[in-house]
């Protein structure tokens, strides 16, 4: 059992208290059987009138249960002989389950049930919690354990580290509940509790837990940052001559925002503590070139840089950029991709191991065991939300040698308000590229009903005839790459038939990376006019001559994802258009969501509106932050708590440093492992 509990993050008794219910069941009242309606989940009690084994298509045990107000059938498919014997006529049974309609009236299929003895206690006084559980650990067992823990809580109260600090900071004009009160309430809410509010995190008791968890989270990240500050990295001088040459080779000048972000990177790299910097910039703001300049600095000092991208396609594209920019400076850039033939891979591995390769661009392939770096000192991670914290840790360990760890630069297009960044990424320094390169024209966004598809196809023909290119994106509809890829293949056939004069290419997730590469290259070199694609092109693909984007079934997609997709156009000097196709009827909410994209091109604003319209979640989900351990808190939903979280954390660090470790241990699962990242 200890092993199973560990899977739930429960190691000590106190951890049971922090394991919070997923939902509640109302078992506070016995319902008269005569009053039951289909679909209702209820607690009933009655006497077995009849119990029979029926063998029709399937062997089942049917019991007739009556309580004077009515009768209902209990249906069991799996039962032991002794269970069958236990259901003898006259036995009093208490059942909990969902009422369904069966062939002979109402029934409960496999209800939870218990034989009731004479001195049976009354039904529960509070709502019954349902905990997240794991295989082999019964809900009942977990409930019993939590009950024990709650009983112990009365005798041995938890230390409430935050109470004095929160006392001076009332929440919405009211005093905060104490930790113990909040926990007791969450585990055993009264019959009339607003459970929806509780579960959605809006109840004062859930918020009390959320703020504690966020504080623990921030402290834990601050601790990782403190650990990182005790680590050593190779300090690099700012390769002035090489950088001047690099800039001279660029076909553009850096924006002020790129320069100031880069200045922060330069300062970090010059220090002998490792850089841990998050570089945020909206799609198209030009993060890659800033990263490339960091690689120039490392290479000038004779060290290696690893550039990690989330997809092969993007890795190939980054390789192309780094190769184009750095090779003229005499810096050797090589790709390391999962799809490379064995011989290419072997020679790449050799070049990485002997240090000939100064910059290695790749995907997950980079942190496989066979990859040995000679002198890795800088790790650049693109689109960080697609990499977990663990993967970052692995790559960091790869570079660790003779007490030196690599510098890390993490690039993301996810818009993150500053207070949120201070909490979600309290272990990272933060730079923002807050402007787009000059000359970019905002993408015009049009929302179009599916019925006008024929017009749109015409328009694509005209567009391509002028020498400009277009994307037609067939988004994720099923959770299956196979089905999506088929949909894209069909779309390509349809468009090819309608547009014989247009050169059409296709990329989707099921294609081999070499095949995708051929198509992408053809598109980049303008040998293709129209690229039909699944959302594989969502991240990072850069073809400035592509100025029209069509997205199908846009109503089904998240705003953040649509914004990313739209970022594939509007990258050059020509005006660009993004057409969001939808299948009517469009719900008022869906319409409003699509209108957000029409109204703004600003990623921050899109994220903010998305949050308002939809509630939190996907904008900065746990998957994206790499913070899987949050139980109750939600960084966006609880954004209003963040200023208090930051204040209280700092005060706690200053005045009660001894409280920090227990708080972290209480709330952060696997805190010890993550402290190293
Ligand atoms: P993202 O931040 O989305 O990763 P990229 O780094 O891919 O953006 O840059 C988008 C495009 O803008 C690329 O074609 C890049 O070469 C170009 N670019 C970057 N910086 C500038 C600049 N200062 N002026 C003009 N174009 C730029
Ligand atoms: Mg990018």
């Amino acid at each position: 059992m200890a092993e199973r509990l560990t899977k739930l993050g429960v190691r000590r008794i106190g951890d049971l208290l922090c394991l919070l219910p997923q939902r509640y069941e109302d078992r506070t009242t016995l319902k008269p059987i005569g009053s039951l309606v289909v679909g209702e989940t209820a607690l009933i009690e009655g006497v077995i009138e009849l119990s029979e084994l029926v063998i029709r298509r399937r062997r089942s045990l049917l019991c007739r249960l009556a309580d004077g107000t009515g009768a209902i059938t209990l249906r069991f498919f799996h039962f032991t002989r002794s269970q069958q014997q236990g259901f003898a006529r006259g036995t009093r049974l208490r059942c909990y389950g969902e009422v369904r309609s069966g062939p002979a009236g109402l029934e409960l299929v496999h209800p939870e049930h218990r034989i009731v003895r004479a001195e049976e206690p009354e039904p529960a006084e509070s709502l019954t919690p349902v905990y997240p559980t794991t295989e082999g650990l019964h809900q009942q067992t977990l409930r019993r354990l939590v009950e024990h823990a709650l009983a112990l809580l009365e005798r041995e109260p938890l230390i409430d580290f935050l109470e004095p600090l929160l006392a001076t900071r009332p929440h919405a004009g009211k005093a905060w509940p104490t930790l113990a009160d909040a926990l007791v309430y969450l585990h055993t809410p009264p019959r009339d509790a607003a459970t929806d509010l509780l579960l959605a995190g809006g109840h004062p008791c859930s918020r009390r837990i959320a703020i504690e968890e966020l504080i623990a989270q921030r402290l834990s990240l601050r601790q990782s940052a403190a650990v990182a500050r005790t680590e050593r990295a190779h300090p690099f001088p700012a390769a002035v001559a090489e950088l001047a040459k690099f800039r001279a080779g660029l076909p553009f000048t850096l924006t002020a925002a790129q320069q100031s972000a880069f200045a922060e990177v330069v300062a970090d790299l010059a220090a002998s503590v490792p850089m841990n910097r998050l570089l945020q910039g909206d799609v198209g703001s030009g993060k890659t070139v800033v990263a490339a300049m960091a690689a120039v600095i490392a290479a000038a000092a004779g060290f290696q840089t690893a550039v990690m991208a989330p997809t092969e396609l993007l890795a190939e594209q980054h390789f192309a950029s780094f190769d184009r920019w750095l090779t003229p400076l005499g810096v050797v850039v090589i790709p390391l991709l999962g799809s490379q033939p064995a011989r290419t891979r072997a020679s790449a591995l050799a070049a990485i191991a002997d240090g000939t390769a100064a910059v290695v661009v790749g995907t997950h392939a980079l942190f496989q065991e066979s990859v040995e770096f000679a002198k890795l000192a800088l790790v650049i991670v693109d689109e960080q939300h697609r990499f977990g914290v663990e993967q970052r840790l692995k790559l960091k360990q790869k570079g660790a040698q003779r007490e030196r760890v690599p510098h890390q630069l993490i690039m993301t297009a996810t818009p993150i308000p500053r207070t949120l960044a201070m909490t979600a990424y309290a272990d990272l320094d933060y730079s923002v590229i807050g402007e787009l390169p000059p000359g970019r024209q905002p993408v015009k966004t049009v929302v179009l009903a599916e019925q006008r598809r024929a017009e749109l196809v015409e328009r694509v023909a005209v567009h391509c005839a002028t020498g400009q290119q277009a994307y037609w994106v067939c988004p994720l509809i099923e959770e299956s790459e196979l089905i999506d890829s088929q949909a894209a293949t069909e779309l390509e056939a349809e468009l090819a038939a309608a547009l014989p004069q247009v050169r059409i290419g296709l990329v989707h997730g099921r294609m081999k990376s070499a095949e995708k590469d051929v198509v992408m290259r053809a598109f980049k070199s303008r040998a293709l006019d129209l690229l039909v694609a699944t959302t594989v092109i969502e991240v990072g693909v850069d073809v400035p001559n592509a100025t029209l984007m069509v997205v199908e079934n846009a109503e089904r997609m998240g705003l953040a994802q649509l914004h990313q997709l739209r970022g594939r156009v509007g990258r050059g000097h020509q005006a660009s258009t993004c057409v969001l196709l939808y299948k009517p009827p469009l719900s008022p909410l869906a319409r409003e969501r699509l209108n957000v994209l029409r109204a703004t091109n600003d990623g921050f604003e899109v994220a903010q509106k998305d949050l308002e319209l939809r509630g939190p979640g996907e904008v900065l989900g746990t998957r994206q932050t790499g913070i899987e351990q949050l139980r109750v808190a939600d960084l966006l939903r609880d954004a209003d708590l963040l200023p208090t979280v930051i204040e209280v954390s700092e005060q706690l660090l200053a005045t009660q440093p001894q409280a920090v470790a227990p708080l972290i241990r209480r709330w952060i699962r696997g805190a010890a492992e993550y402290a190293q990242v």
Side-chain angles (χ1 to χ4, degrees):
M1 190 186 300
E3 209 169 278
R4 290 175 186 146
L5 284 171
T6 305
K7 282 197 192 143
L8 298 174
V10 175
R11 293 199 169 82
R12 293 153 313 148
I13 296 173
D15 295 337
L16 283 164
L17 296 173
C18 301
L19 185 75
L20 297 172
Q22 282 174 315
R23 57 190 176 85
Y24 300 97
E25 291 172 353
D26 186 353
R27 304 180 186 208
T28 59
T29 16
L30 284 175
K31 280 267 185 161
I33 294 177
S35 78
L36 295 178
V37 292
V38 173
E40 146 180 56
T41 303
L43 184 72
I44 57 173
E45 187 174 308
V47 174
I48 295 181
E49 289 188 327
L50 178 78
S51 161
E52 60 173 341
L53 194 62
V54 182
I55 303 174
R56 277 201 201 104
R57 261 175 308 154
R58 226 172 139 187
R59 201 174 79 111
S60 50
L61 177 64
L62 301 182
C63 300
R64 194 82 188 145
L65 192 76
D67 69 351
T69 70
I72 191 167
T73 304
L74 312 180
R75 185 183 292 274
F76 298 91
F77 298 113
H78 311 282
F79 46 89
T80 60
R81 177 172 291 272
S82 74
Q83 258 174 335
Q84 186 186 343
Q85 283 160 352
F87 291 152
R89 191 188 151 97
T91 308
R92 180 163 277 276
L93 219 52
R94 191 174 283 179
C95 302
Y96 183 84
E98 190 190 327
V99 180
R100 300 200 199 165
S101 98
L106 299 184
E107 54 179 50
L108 295 181
V109 179
H110 269 284
E112 280 180 44
H113 60 275
R114 199 153 48 83
I115 294 176
V116 178
R117 318 261 173 227
E119 70 288 1
E120 191 59 28
E122 285 304 293
E125 277 170 26
S126 52
L127 299 178
T128 305
V130 179
Y131 296 103
T133 184
T134 182
E135 206 182 315
L137 189 60
H138 203 273
Q139 187 61 236
Q140 294 291 12
T141 315
L142 211 48
R143 261 181 217 147
R144 224 183 45 239
L145 290 171
V146 175
E147 268 168 38
H148 282 311
L150 286 168
L152 279 171
L153 184 62
E154 288 186 7
R155 273 193 276 144
E156 262 179 85
L158 277 178
I159 304 173
D160 195 337
F161 298 106
L162 302 185
E163 200 188 349
L165 298 175
L166 290 177
T168 58
R169 297 175 173 86
H171 175 55
K174 295 210 186 80
W176 285 95
T178 64
L179 176 62
D181 288 349
L183 285 173
V184 169
Y185 194 93
L186 278 159
H187 285 290
T188 57
R191 188 181 305 185
D192 58 354
T195 49
D196 287 347
L197 201 61
L198 259 189
L199 293 169
H203 190 278
C205 288
S206 1
R207 301 217 92 200
R208 174 61 184 80
I209 304 300
I211 197 168
E212 175 142 348
E213 192 180 20
L214 287 169
I215 289 169
Q217 172 72 51
R218 179 171 158 82
L219 290 171
S220 156
L221 291 171
R222 290 267 274 131
Q223 204 174 51
S224 322
V227 170
R229 273 194 301 275
T230 66
E231 291 171 334
R232 300 277 118 213
H234 293 284
F236 301 137
V240 179
E242 289 84 349
L243 285 171
K245 200 169 163 203
F246 177 93
R247 286 189 202 202
L250 288 178
F252 49 76
T253 49
L254 298 177
T255 63
Q258 283 171 319
Q259 290 186 32
S260 67
F262 181 58
E264 292 174 320
V265 171
V266 171
D268 285 354
L269 291 176
S272 53
V273 287
M275 167 168 76
N276 275 301
R277 185 167 289 278
L278 184 69
L279 178 61
Q280 198 275 334
D282 205 350
V283 283
S285 60
K287 297 181 287 290
T288 321
V289 70
V290 173
M293 292 192 293
V296 169
I297 294 181
F303 285 89
Q304 289 173 302
T305 298
V307 183
M308 222 171 32
T311 63
E312 292 256 318
L313 197 62
L314 206 54
E316 285 156 18
Q317 181 179 297
H318 278 337
F319 168 69
S321 307
F322 277 74
D323 184 41
R324 183 171 72 243
W325 291 329
L326 301 186
T327 306
L329 305 182
V331 175
V332 179
V333 185
I334 65 159
L336 188 74
L337 301 169
S339 56
Q340 280 165 333
R343 274 183 46 209
T344 320
R345 189 180 162 81
S347 62
L349 288 177
I352 298 169
D354 69 15
T356 331
V359 177
V360 187
V361 186
T363 55
H364 304 78
L366 280 178
F367 35 69
Q368 279 162 12
E369 256 146 53
S370 51
V371 186
E372 297 255 4
F373 286 86
K375 295 167 98 181
L376 179 63
L378 172 62
V379 173
I380 295 168
V381 183
D382 193 13
E383 301 296 345
Q384 87 120 24
H385 59 269
R386 302 197 175 215
F387 290 105
V389 174
E390 280 154 77
Q391 288 169 315
R392 261 170 67 201
L393 177 59
K394 266 197 191 162
L395 199 60
K396 188 167 155 181
Q397 283 163 343
K398 270 206 177 303
Q401 41 187 207
R402 276 168 274 126
E403 324 276 275
R404 305 278 176 153
V405 301
H407 296 282
Q408 286 194 61
L409 181 66
I410 296 156
M411 299 187 272
T412 179
T414 309
I416 315 155
R418 187 164 281 273
T419 46
L420 205 144
M422 284 176 77
T423 312
Y425 303 113
D427 58 333
L428 300 176
D429 295 310
Y430 188 47
S431 302
V432 180
I433 303 183
E435 74 180 307
L436 296 182
R440 293 278 170 82
Q441 304 198 30
V443 178
K444 184 170 170 229
T445 301
V446 181
V447 178
L448 206 67
E450 170 70 28
Q451 277 83 341
R452 297 179 56 192
R453 200 186 174 88
E455 278 170 55
L456 185 61
V457 172
E458 276 306 301
R459 183 162 163 194
V460 169
V462 174
H463 179 86
C464 294
T466 67
Q468 295 180 61
Q469 293 164 284
Y471 298 100
W472 195 306
V473 179
C474 195
L476 196 84
I477 294 176
E478 307 289 330
E479 278 299 321
S480 143
E481 235 181 28
L482 174 65
I483 295 175
D484 287 334
S485 304
Q486 281 168 350
T489 310
E490 281 164 25
L491 175 65
E492 188 221 14
E494 176 202 322
L495 291 173
L499 302 168
Q501 69 283 28
V502 173
R503 297 164 300 169
I504 305 181
L506 171 69
V507 284
H508 60 65
R510 303 261 303 176
M511 284 163 66
K512 291 218 177 67
S513 126
E515 297 169 339
K516 276 189 277 193
D517 191 35
V518 168
V519 179
M520 284 312 296
R521 232 179 265 161
F523 189 63
K524 275 199 154 184
S525 67
R526 303 194 188 183
L528 292 172
D529 306 306
L530 175 63
L531 188 66
V532 174
T534 57
T535 48
V536 293
I537 61 150
E538 173 194 339
V539 272
V541 172
D542 186 36
V543 181
N545 189 50
T547 50
L548 173 64
M549 152 122 353
V550 179
V551 185
E552 298 232 8
N553 293 109
E555 78 280 6
R556 300 210 199 173
M557 298 177 66
L559 290 192
Q561 196 183 17
L562 285 172
H563 179 69
Q564 289 284 331
L565 276 172
R566 177 171 65 177
R568 298 310 112 221
V569 293
R571 303 177 83 84
H573 289 283
Q574 286 146 312
S576 294
T577 309
C578 174
V579 181
L580 304 176
L581 266 184
Y582 68 88
K583 274 212 179 64
L586 207 52
S587 72
L589 179 63
R591 179 172 301 277
E592 211 178 325
R593 282 163 41 85
L594 293 181
N595 279 341
V596 169
L597 290 170
R598 233 172 45 176
T600 182
N601 267 291
D602 178 332
F604 269 96
E605 225 170 289
V606 170
Q608 195 56 44
K609 285 277 169 25
D610 197 15
L611 176 62
E612 284 165 22
L613 289 177
R614 186 168 45 159
E618 297 217 349
V619 189
L620 189 76
T622 49
R623 198 172 50 86
Q624 297 194 354
T625 52
I627 302 168
E628 277 98 314
Q629 316 90 313
L630 286 180
R631 302 165 195 216
V632 180
D634 181 298
L635 284 166
L636 279 179
R637 183 192 65 216
D638 298 320
D640 62 316
L641 297 179
L642 297 180
T644 315
V645 167
I646 293 167
E647 259 174 58
V648 171
S649 316
E650 296 312 306
Q651 201 173 336
L652 206 69
L653 275 170
T655 60
Q656 283 171 264
Q658 76 287 355
V660 171
L663 247 184
I664 294 176
R665 230 181 301 121
R666 182 180 287 170
W667 293 104
I668 308 300
R669 239 169 253 171
E673 298 95 87
Y674 287 113
Q676 295 306 311
V677 181

